[in-house]
Each structure stands twice: as structure tokens, then as C-alpha cells.
Amino acid sequence: MKTSTAPALADLGAAGQSRTSLLRRLAETPEVGVVAACVVVFAALAIDKSTFASAVNLQGMGFDLAQYGLIAIGESLVILTGGIDLSVGALLGTSVILMSWFNVRAGLPPVLAILVTLLIAGTVGLIHGLAVTRLKMAPFVVTLVTYTVAQGVTLAITSGTSITGIGGLFSDVGQQYVAQVPLPLILFVIVALVAWFFLERTYAGRQVYAVGGNAEAARLAGIRGERRIVSMYVTSSLLSAFAGIMVLGRMGVGSASGVGVGWELSAIAAAVIGGVSLVGGQGRIIGIVAGTILLELINNGLTTLQINSNYTNIVLGCVLGLAITADRLRARSVARRG
């Protein structure tokens, strides 16, 4: 009796320890909290307002999610290297105007207008990366300069007026559905999957984490950190321009009025809420996507509930503050265990 009881007790103890270990890992995983928050917020809003979960509203949220999500992924890739990109929103707005100008004023076909704009955006990202790695300039300063210049370029090209008569290809990308699912949302999912595969399943992706976690240790390990940093800045700028294609297609005109203004803050917020550490080296795509979804749920939910729009930034700011506080507390906990 005793001999059979001892293994049983041991098995129970091992099972209890396994459950405790699993709960501890879940509690320490940033993505669990934000995913749970998405479920709770969606359920609460759907119960309170039946129109929130309607197909029309969900499709509208899908369009918005694609726009914000693309620049959030680009922003997060830069943050993972220990940097920051304040130009993503302004560069998106400038890309909208450049594509419109190239297509309407310069007479370029839509495809060529898109390619030229992507080339310009990629060059901007390359300048960011080289300024940070070769000139050792602070990422905050470098991208803030681009933020200011991009807004000036936008106004200089348009003189504050909209550019009309853009090609139909833009609306095909920005307004089409595939089986009732917005095409921009599908493109966003594809980009997110590619980014996930790069970070989680490739050697270069692991190097990005290594550079952001400890640049000196990565250098001593033979990792070419400068190359990884430059490539992430280029990717961030390209994703801003890519998101600009969707924004232009959705609006139907090249407008310089408020397009992309403040979107860099939403991108940073989505990254931090999703578990990306502001000091670099930590964060996953699933968390970034969940953070973007949570922000969109809150933003759309406030509109659905007919809350004064002046309070939207207050709510989003409080959410960001809580996320940053949680990030710091999590970092301190990991440091103590280390």
C-alpha cells in the first residue's frame, strides 16, 4: 500500500509543479495579457452595442487595422534593435502625396508611381540606418528631422490642397474585398506572417534580437549589428510607404490634411502594449498584432459608444502609460531573477 502510494504522491507533486510552472510562464508572457484584453474589450463592446459586432463595422475596423498595423510592425522592428522611428506617420503621409503627384501631375502609371515612392522611402530608411550606425547619431534625433522634413515636403508639393484624379489601381488595393474580407487586412496578415517567420525562424531574425538585447555581446559573437540595424530602418520606411498605398486607395485623393499625423505614437503604443521592450531585444509579432487590435478596439469602441473624441487620446494615453509601466516592472523582475 505504501509502495504504491509513494509514486502516486510523487506524480501528483510533479503535476502540481508542472501546473505552477505553466501558470508562471503564462503570467510572465506579455502576449497573454494583451490577447486577453482584446477578448474582454471586444466581448464587452459587442454586448453593450450590437452594432459594434456588425459586419460593416468589423470591415471598417479591418481597413483601419491594416493601416496602423503595418507601421506598427515597421516601428517594432526598429525598436527591437534598440532604436526608435518617429517618422513613420509623416513618411506615410508624404508617400500618399508622392504617389498622387507622380501619378497625376507627372503622368506616371500607378505601378511606376508606387515603385518610385517605395524607392524614395527605402532611401530615407537607409539614411536613417547609416546615420545611426556610422555617424552614431541618436535615432530620436535622426527620425525627428525626417518627421519635420516630411511634413514640410507634403505641404510644399500640394500647397495644402488635395490631388484628385488618381489611377484606379489604388482604389483596387485600398477598397477591395476578398470573400467579404478587406484586401488591406489580408495584406497586413501576410506581412505579419512574413515578419513572424523572419524573427522566429531565421538566423538573421535572431540576430536582430541579439543586437537589441546587447549590442556589444552581439559584436563579440561576430554578428554584424550595423547591417541588421540598417535593414530594420529600411523595412520600417518601406512599410510606411506600403501603408500609404492603402490609405490613398481608401481616400481616393492625395490629401495633405492630417494624414499620418500622430500615427507614429499609435505605432509605438501598439508595440509597447504588445510586449516590445523600449530598450530593445524583446517582443514578438503576435504581441504587436494584438496590441494594434486592442488599440483599434478601444478607438472604434469609443466612437461606437458616442464618447466625445476629445477623450480618445486621454484613454489611449492612459493605456500606453500602463503598458510602459508594465514593461518596466517586467524588466525589473527579469533582472532580479537573472
Side-chain angles (χ1 to χ4, degrees):
M1 187 72 175
K2 292 181 180 179
T3 56
S4 62
T5 303
L9 292 175
D11 291 340
L12 288 174
Q17 290 179 353
S18 177
R19 285 195 295 271
T20 302
S21 177
L22 177 60
L23 291 175
R24 184 182 297 112
R25 287 198 300 270
L26 288 175
E28 294 174 351
T29 303
E31 295 84 6
V32 172
V34 68
V35 170
C38 289
V39 174
V40 171
V41 171
F42 180 85
L45 290 171
I47 292 172
D48 189 70
K49 285 284 186 179
S50 59
T51 56
F52 179 79
S54 66
V56 173
N57 191 55
L58 292 178
Q59 287 172 340
M61 290 173 61
F63 283 111
D64 291 337
L65 180 63
Q67 296 169 184
Y68 293 118
L70 285 172
I71 61 174
I73 291 177
E75 182 72 59
S76 300
L77 292 175
V78 172
I79 296 177
L80 285 175
T81 66
I84 196 78
D85 190 351
L86 298 179
S87 69
V88 290
L91 191 56
L92 181 150
T94 302
S95 297
V96 168
I97 297 303
L98 287 176
M99 283 183 283
S100 303
W101 190 89
F102 284 132
N103 179 222
V104 177
R105 305 282 173 81
L108 297 181
V111 173
L112 190 55
I114 290 172
L115 292 177
V116 173
T117 303
L118 288 174
L119 178 61
I120 294 174
T123 302
V124 171
L126 179 62
I127 293 172
H128 288 166
L130 293 178
V132 170
T133 57
R134 300 293 177 85
L135 302 180
K136 306 302 179 184
M137 297 176 65
F140 178 90
V141 175
V142 174
T143 56
L144 181 60
V145 170
T146 302
Y147 169 89
T148 306
V149 172
Q151 289 188 327
V153 169
T154 299
L155 293 174
I157 293 176
T158 63
S159 299
T161 61
S162 299
I163 300 176
T164 60
I166 62 172
L169 176 63
F170 294 103
S171 60
D172 290 342
V173 175
Q175 300 180 17
Q176 290 300 312
Y177 295 86
V178 177
Q180 301 303 312
V181 178
L183 177 59
L185 181 59
I186 295 175
L187 295 176
F188 165 63
V189 171
I190 293 173
V191 171
L193 289 174
V194 172
W196 171 83
F197 182 83
F198 169 75
L199 290 174
E200 302 284 342
R201 294 292 184 268
T202 67
Y203 181 61
R206 307 313 299 175
Q207 287 181 335
V208 171
Y209 284 109
V211 171
N214 191 322
E216 181 61 20
R219 185 187 67 82
L220 294 175
I223 297 174
R224 303 188 65 174
E226 293 187 353
R227 178 178 296 181
R228 298 290 166 247
I229 292 173
V230 171
S231 63
M232 293 303 99
Y233 277 101
V234 171
T235 303
S236 177
S237 296
L238 287 174
L239 286 177
S240 293
F242 186 52
I245 301 172
M246 302 178 186
V247 173
L248 177 58
R250 192 178 182 188
M251 293 190 304
V253 296
S255 175
S257 178
V259 178
V261 176
W263 289 20
E264 64 281 345
L265 299 180
S266 297
I268 295 172
V272 176
I273 291 171
V276 178
S277 175
L278 286 173
V279 298
Q282 182 180 348
R284 299 196 301 173
I285 290 298
I286 185 174
I288 299 163
V289 172
T292 308
I293 293 174
L294 180 60
L295 287 181
E296 177 57 28
L297 288 173
I298 294 174
N299 190 38
N300 187 276
L302 292 174
T303 302
T304 303
L305 295 174
Q306 298 181 340
I307 304 291
N308 192 316
S309 60
N310 294 329
Y311 295 102
T312 301
N313 287 337
I314 296 177
V315 175
L316 295 179
C318 291
V319 172
L320 177 58
L322 290 173
I324 293 175
T325 302
D327 174 59
R328 292 295 83 215
L329 293 175
R330 185 170 60 250
R332 289 175 57 182
S333 175
V334 172
R336 283 198 300 268
R337 289 198 305 273

